Amino acid sequence: MRLSRYFLPVLKETPAEAQIVSHRLMLRAGMIKQASAGIYSWLPLGYKVLKNIENIVHEEQVRAGHIPMLMPTLQSADLWRESGRYDAYGPEMLRVRDRHDRDMLYGPTNEELITDIFRSHVSSYKDLPLTLYHIQWKFRDEIRPRFGVMRGREFLMKDGYNFDLTKEDALHAYNRHLVSYLRTYERMGLQAIPMRADSGPIGGDDTHEFLVLAETGESEVFYDSEITDLKFGDREIDYDNVDQCQAVLEEFTSRYARTDETHDQAEFAKVPADRQRTARGIEVGQIFYFGTKYSDAMGANVADADGNRVPVHMGSHGIGVSRLLGAIIEASHDDNGIIWPEGVTPFHCGIVNLRQGDEQADAACDALYASLTALGLEPLYDDRDERAGGKFATMDLIGLPWRITVGPRGLKNGVVELTSRRTGESEELPPEQAVARVAEIYGKATA
Amino acid sequence: MRLSRYFLPVLKETPAEAQIVSHRLMLRAGMIKQASAGIYSWLPLGYKVLKNIENIVHEEQVRAGHIPMLMPTLQSADLWRESGRYDAYGPEMLRVRDRHDRDMLYGPTNEELITDIFRSHVSSYKDLPLTLYHIQWKFRDEIRPRFGVMRGREFLMKDGYNFDLTKEDALHAYNRHLVSYLRTYERMGLQAIPMRADSGPIGGDDTHEFLVLAETGESEVFYDSEITDLKFGDREIDYDNVDQCQAVLEEFTSRYARTDETHDQAEFAKVPADRQRTARGIEVGQIFYFGTKYSDAMGANVADADGNRVPVHMGSHGIGVSRLLGAIIEASHDDNGIIWPEGVTPFHCGIVNLRQGDEQADAACDALYASLTALGLEPLYDDRDERAGGKFATMDLIGLPWRITVGPRGLKNGVVELTSRRTGESEELPPEQAVARVAEIYGKATA
């Protein structure tokens, strides 16, 4: 993309309404614009990152054998009356009345709707196990929306639902989700720690929240410092293998790690004193096993092998897709702006032309642009007639992990400059080597 | 995907509530399930086609130089009061009140919100031309929703908005949209004819609707039969070239083609009698130039080259993404089910194992599955323990364009059967040749 043809409305001043750094930086980098309280438009740069995050979530869900679908945003109140949650849910539920005076609501979650789909179409254990998920906009009418996309009212969430014949099968589904979530967050450059949590209005006993450590987190967390040494890494896993998934769960949840909701000081005291940590965390996902809570209430039964009708065991599993942008920025920024992890960056590489209009500099930038594009990479080329300082400030603010700087002086010596946003380190090298380096970083093959 | 692990709840009986064939087939093929009146859940098969259509729309918009972003579903009433449409819009607008008693609405379209974004961030002609678009769920509270996704209440739409300094520039944006829409529909296997139409609540004088001819269409249309001979084909076009885009507009709109709203019998009579056609059509898109209607009302001005503040010229351009599934099925089906065009099919190819459990047949199917997958194709392998007749009926119903049938008898002779869903013609050939044929159809290179 050439910046002269893009829509990137960066702000010079820091918006007064933003209390936390991710909110400030998303506004300043032209990623979002508030449409009304707690509701945002995703400007082109923000939308690109949102899509990248959504794609990673999709890929890891499909890898785990879960099946994508899509449920609508507006739901009938009837199903929620069946489960008993229509009255139980507080004023966070946005209630709507249509032109025929029917009670509807903007879905904050989808247990009822998915259970209705299941009971309408599945009647035999032979169709199990089954895990369906979708990524759809949700609404929670927060009384005081704040922190930008971190606690907005309209937000994008991945929510998945497993249906299993037995508790054991459902717990395997739970473990499978835990594994897939670890992979998902790591691909985004995040360490998200599974912590024992409280189930809230979803229900159930088994639940873990995934928390990203950050000073601005809404939850106080207590953990054994050994946990932050764990990495899922690029290990191979067979999602059908019960033991493999169970082993990962045990590895990642056997040490003390809890949010304030479930914190137990006596248990925490058993952790060696030099490994006890208290910090703040941002919740970016949660998994639940809640047994037959919804299948009992809504009659979601299947015939087992003996022909008996039994309620299915269920769980639900959520990732806060839009909130992840805020969490990533909270975890990865400096005084100059955002530092995107390579896995989610909106453009792979920036190109800064120091002398726009100079024949050689323009030609060199065009050639770099063409080479990177041909390799399947997406560069953002700042081709505006601006001073170098302003171009660097914009690139630092929007946080592309790599920048290639092109100027007449370097070109005389046959070199351009490749700069890491994270370390600030620069290296001079011939243009084709700069391209090869960037391609290598993103795992693209060069000829 | 192996069917034994998928969620494809096909129905044997024809649902009574469905009046038109696309609605019936989408229900029977397990693509959608009604959640409430005019609101649907997209089951996995339907979701896949929806995504394919969405991707084609994205690709063609980006090719035309338009920039993707995303606006929220819920909007504040304030902006709509500014434009004067809050009161003007009828009961089709779903009005919502939040917990603080603020008036909101579920957006049926986005002229106000995008104009607000524009006026907040753009102040100079140097930032023009600019076309922003998004693909987002909309709501229109139809009094009698019907015909499945063709006239639902919650529906997915692409809407794009151009901002230009002059009327001439804005008309080029109009033409560019017309060209990109022609390409978009053809990639979906559809002939959509641009017809002069009425602008309705959007406003403006210049507008064309794109109509797919189908008996079940809601509009009566009148056209010169020469129009159906026009193809955009794979011609190259430079979207920045004003003359090229203008020439396409003239080629595709110079002949008589109007909906009943703008039909002029006297003009129609000038078409040679043997070329006069009356038919019904499904509206799948519309483009508008409406000048400064919203920029005047909302103060969206830019400085021109002389420093004068002038209102921008705008247009908006929509494609009914979710409704396109219905339109494609209306245009492409037979008594046995759907016939997907290759461009949008949910799976590239079906694999039917005639003797599940037979060692050779299973191995041959596994090998086909692996070969197709390695080429970047997505097969649907019916690995259930069902009779051949049932498997064929399912494949015909869900409409995959190609089917490979594998059975012990053929394998003895070293062949499988490749069948076209559209023609019903079958051919026996060795498995590796069947794979190569399918790869060739989808433009995938084999080694």
Side-chain angles (χ1 to χ4, degrees):
Chain A
M1 177 59 66
R2 284 163 193 273
L3 197 40
S4 63
R5 306 192 72 158
Y6 201 48
F7 181 60
L8 183 72
V10 300
L11 305 180
K12 292 233 170 65
E13 65 286 7
T14 296
E17 78 266 30
Q19 299 168 41
I20 61 171
V21 67
S22 60
H23 190 190
R24 277 198 297 275
L25 288 174
M26 289 182 78
L27 290 169
R28 285 195 51 214
M31 294 178 64
I32 53 171
K33 179 181 189 309
Q34 181 173 298
S36 48
I39 304 180
Y40 292 87
S41 291
W42 297 79
L43 304 183
L45 192 75
Y47 174 70
K48 273 184 86 77
V49 182
L50 187 70
K51 272 288 157 197
N52 290 345
I53 290 176
E54 199 182 323
N55 285 341
I56 291 174
V57 174
H58 269 303
E59 285 175 14
E60 293 303 327
Q61 287 303 301
V62 168
R63 194 194 305 272
H66 306 157
I67 302 174
M69 60 173 298
L70 189 63
M71 288 174 273
T73 61
L74 291 195
Q75 303 180 21
S76 161
D78 295 343
L79 289 175
W80 289 69
R81 293 203 173 97
E82 246 189 275
S83 73
R85 287 208 295 180
Y86 188 68
D87 295 322
Y89 226 100
E92 278 75 33
M93 179 189 278
L94 186 71
R95 292 152 210 265
V96 180
R97 196 158 270 188
D98 74 6
R99 70 189 290 174
H100 296 298
D101 272 336
R102 284 176 295 219
D103 286 325
M104 308 194 64
L105 55 98
Y106 200 121
T109 176
N110 286 60
E111 281 80 8
E112 284 79 359
L113 199 46
I114 196 77
T115 304
D116 181 55
I117 290 168
F118 180 87
R119 71 179 174 186
S120 304
H121 290 301
V122 180
S123 56
S124 163
Y125 75 98
K126 290 181 189 166
D127 294 327
L128 305 182
L130 178 65
T131 296
L132 297 165
Y133 79 94
H134 75 157
I135 300 181
Q136 178 60 294
W137 291 91
K138 311 284 191 295
F139 202 91
R140 283 187 198 154
D141 202 358
E142 300 273 355
I143 189 161
R144 250 183 326 125
R146 59 190 186 282
F147 303 158
V149 300
M150 295 272 278
R151 190 171 281 274
R153 294 198 292 167
E154 186 169 323
F155 60 97
L156 189 61
M157 195 169 107
K158 170 258 160 182
D159 43 323
Y161 305 87
N162 67 286
F163 301 90
D164 289 278
L165 184 61
T166 64
K167 178 170 179 176
E168 290 66 41
D169 291 350
L171 288 177
H172 172 57
Y174 185 90
N175 298 349
R176 210 170 54 225
H177 278 88
L178 182 129
V179 176
S180 70
Y181 280 26
L182 290 172
R183 281 188 65 114
T184 301
Y185 297 123
E186 282 195 14
R187 280 187 63 186
M188 297 175 189
L190 280 180
Q191 179 169 49
I193 305 169
M195 300 199 180
R196 197 184 292 184
D198 187 54
S199 65
I202 304 286
D205 295 326
D206 290 276
T207 178
H208 282 91
E209 273 183 3
F210 289 78
L211 285 110
V212 173
L213 301 179
E215 282 166 29
T216 47
E218 74 275 51
S219 311
E220 192 170 14
V221 299
F222 305 83
Y223 62 96
D224 178 339
S225 68
E226 280 192 351
I227 264 183
T228 51
D229 298 332
L230 298 174
K231 290 267 178 299
F232 188 81
D234 52 5
R235 57 180 106 174
E236 287 294 319
I237 190 135
D238 174 359
Y239 279 105
D240 289 336
N241 187 311
V242 170
D243 293 338
Q244 276 188 24
C245 292
Q246 175 70 25
V248 174
L249 175 97
E250 283 166 14
E251 177 184 350
F252 279 83
T253 65
S254 59
R255 291 173 189 78
Y256 191 94
R258 298 197 187 180
T259 63
D260 43 10
E261 288 169 338
T262 57
H263 178 55
D264 179 333
Q265 189 59 39
E267 283 294 313
F268 190 47
K270 296 177 188 164
V271 176
D274 63 325
R275 287 177 11 210
Q276 291 178 16
R277 295 284 185 285
T278 306
R280 300 202 69 84
I282 301 167
E283 190 213 321
V284 292
Q286 189 161 5
I287 54 177
F288 300 89
Y289 163 70
F290 45 66
T292 59
K293 171 177 171 171
Y294 296 90
S295 44
D296 280 336
M298 298 179 64
N301 305 312
V302 294
D304 68 13
D306 301 324
N308 303 313
R309 303 279 295 167
V310 294
V312 287
H313 287 258
M314 292 174 58
S316 69
H317 314 277
I319 291 179
V321 174
S322 49
R323 125 176 301 224
L324 271 166
L325 278 91
I328 292 170
I329 295 173
E330 291 292 334
S332 184
H333 67 272
D334 63 16
D335 288 348
N336 296 323
I338 302 165
I339 305 172
W340 290 117
E342 273 93 1
V344 301
T345 183
F347 295 95
H348 295 100
C349 174
I351 301 173
V352 168
N353 188 341
L354 293 178
R355 188 83 56 80
Q356 203 70 39
D358 175 273
E359 201 172 319
Q360 279 196 304
D362 291 2
C365 288
D366 286 344
L368 281 168
Y369 191 92
S371 302
L372 290 164
T373 305
L375 289 167
L377 295 167
E378 209 178 354
L380 179 66
Y381 171 21
D382 190 343
D383 61 344
R384 296 170 307 162
D385 190 14
E386 292 265 338
R387 292 168 53 171
K391 290 189 175 187
F392 289 146
T394 297
M395 283 292 173
D396 283 352
L397 175 61
I398 69 172
L400 309 186
W402 298 93
R403 187 186 80 209
I404 301 176
T405 308
V406 179
R409 203 173 308 168
L411 289 176
K412 247 181 224 158
N413 301 319
V415 296
V416 297
E417 195 181 55
L418 178 65
T419 306
S420 159
R421 173 70 182 85
R422 190 171 292 281
T423 67
E425 283 166 20
S426 286
E427 189 183 354
E428 294 200 328
L429 66 188
E432 57 280 9
Q433 282 184 29
V435 169
R437 188 74 58 84
V438 173
E440 191 193 347
I441 289 162
Y442 288 102
K444 303 282 181 184
T446 45
Chain B
M1 177 58 66
R2 283 163 193 275
L3 197 41
S4 64
R5 306 193 70 157
Y6 202 49
F7 181 61
L8 183 72
V10 299
L11 306 179
K12 293 235 168 65
E13 67 285 9
T14 295
E17 77 267 31
Q19 300 168 40
I20 62 171
V21 67
S22 60
H23 189 192
R24 279 198 296 275
L25 288 174
M26 288 182 78
L27 290 169
R28 285 196 51 215
M31 294 179 63
I32 53 171
K33 179 181 188 312
Q34 183 174 297
S36 49
I39 304 180
Y40 291 86
S41 291
W42 296 79
L43 305 183
L45 192 76
Y47 175 69
K48 273 183 84 78
V49 182
L50 187 68
K51 272 289 160 197
N52 290 346
I53 290 175
E54 200 183 323
N55 285 342
I56 290 174
V57 174
H58 269 303
E59 285 175 14
E60 293 303 329
Q61 287 303 301
V62 168
R63 193 193 305 272
H66 306 156
I67 303 174
M69 60 173 298
L70 189 63
M71 288 174 275
T73 62
L74 290 195
Q75 303 180 21
S76 160
D78 295 343
L79 289 175
W80 289 70
R81 292 200 174 101
E82 246 187 277
S83 74
R85 287 207 294 180
Y86 188 67
D87 295 321
Y89 227 99
E92 278 76 31
M93 179 189 279
L94 186 71
R95 291 152 211 264
V96 181
R97 196 159 270 188
D98 74 8
R99 69 190 290 174
H100 297 297
D101 272 336
R102 284 177 294 218
D103 286 324
M104 308 193 66
L105 56 97
Y106 199 123
T109 175
N110 286 60
E111 281 79 7
E112 284 78 1
L113 199 45
I114 196 78
T115 304
D116 181 54
I117 290 169
F118 180 87
R119 72 180 172 183
S120 305
H121 290 301
V122 181
S123 57
S124 164
Y125 75 98
K126 290 181 189 165
D127 294 325
L128 305 182
L130 178 66
T131 296
L132 297 165
Y133 79 93
H134 74 158
I135 301 181
Q136 177 61 292
W137 292 91
K138 311 284 191 295
F139 202 92
R140 284 187 198 154
D141 202 358
E142 300 272 354
I143 190 160
R144 251 183 324 124
R146 59 190 187 282
F147 303 158
V149 300
M150 296 272 278
R151 191 170 282 272
R153 295 198 292 167
E154 188 170 322
F155 60 98
L156 189 61
M157 195 169 108
K158 171 259 159 180
D159 42 322
Y161 305 88
N162 67 285
F163 300 91
D164 288 278
L165 183 62
T166 65
K167 177 170 179 176
E168 291 65 43
D169 290 350
L171 288 177
H172 172 56
Y174 185 91
N175 298 348
R176 210 170 56 225
H177 278 89
L178 182 129
V179 176
S180 71
Y181 280 26
L182 290 172
R183 281 188 66 113
T184 301
Y185 297 122
E186 282 195 16
R187 280 187 62 185
M188 298 175 189
L190 280 179
Q191 180 169 50
I193 303 170
M195 301 199 180
R196 195 183 294 185
D198 188 53
S199 65
I202 303 285
D205 296 326
D206 290 275
T207 178
H208 282 91
E209 273 183 2
F210 289 77
L211 286 110
V212 173
L213 301 179
E215 282 166 30
T216 48
E218 73 275 51
S219 311
E220 191 169 15
V221 298
F222 305 84
Y223 62 95
D224 178 338
S225 68
E226 280 192 351
I227 265 183
T228 52
D229 298 331
L230 298 174
K231 290 264 178 300
F232 188 80
D234 52 6
R235 58 180 105 173
E236 287 294 320
I237 190 135
D238 173 0
Y239 279 106
D240 290 335
N241 187 312
V242 170
D243 293 339
Q244 276 188 25
C245 292
Q246 175 70 25
V248 174
L249 175 98
E250 283 167 14
E251 178 184 350
F252 280 82
T253 65
S254 60
R255 292 173 188 79
Y256 191 94
R258 299 197 187 181
T259 64
D260 42 11
E261 288 168 336
T262 57
H263 179 57
D264 178 332
Q265 190 58 42
E267 283 294 311
F268 191 46
K270 296 177 190 166
V271 176
D274 64 325
R275 290 180 4 214
Q276 292 179 14
R277 295 285 185 283
T278 306
R280 302 201 69 83
I282 301 168
E283 191 213 321
V284 292
Q286 190 161 6
I287 54 178
F288 299 90
Y289 163 70
F290 44 66
T292 59
K293 173 177 170 172
Y294 296 91
S295 43
D296 281 335
M298 298 179 64
N301 304 311
V302 294
D304 68 13
D306 301 323
N308 303 313
R309 303 279 295 168
V310 294
V312 288
H313 287 258
M314 293 175 56
S316 69
H317 314 278
I319 292 179
V321 174
S322 49
R323 124 178 300 225
L324 271 167
L325 278 90
I328 292 170
I329 295 173
E330 290 292 334
S332 185
H333 67 271
D334 64 16
D335 289 348
N336 297 323
I338 302 165
I339 306 172
W340 291 116
E342 273 93 1
V344 302
T345 183
F347 295 95
H348 296 100
C349 175
I351 302 173
V352 168
N353 188 341
L354 293 178
R355 187 84 55 81
Q356 203 69 39
D358 176 273
E359 202 172 319
Q360 280 197 303
D362 291 2
C365 288
D366 286 344
L368 281 168
Y369 191 92
S371 303
L372 290 163
T373 305
L375 289 166
L377 295 167
E378 210 177 354
L380 180 68
Y381 171 22
D382 192 343
D383 60 344
R384 297 170 307 163
D385 189 13
E386 292 266 337
R387 292 169 50 173
K391 290 188 176 189
F392 290 147
T394 297
M395 284 290 174
D396 283 352
L397 175 61
I398 69 171
L400 310 187
W402 299 92
R403 186 185 80 210
I404 301 176
T405 308
V406 179
R409 202 174 309 168
L411 288 176
K412 249 182 224 158
N413 301 320
V415 296
V416 296
E417 195 180 56
L418 179 66
T419 306
S420 158
R421 173 69 182 86
R422 190 170 294 280
T423 67
E425 283 166 20
S426 287
E427 188 182 355
E428 294 198 327
L429 67 188
E432 56 280 10
Q433 282 184 29
V435 169
R437 187 73 57 85
V438 173
E440 191 194 347
I441 289 162
Y442 290 102
K444 303 280 181 187
T446 46

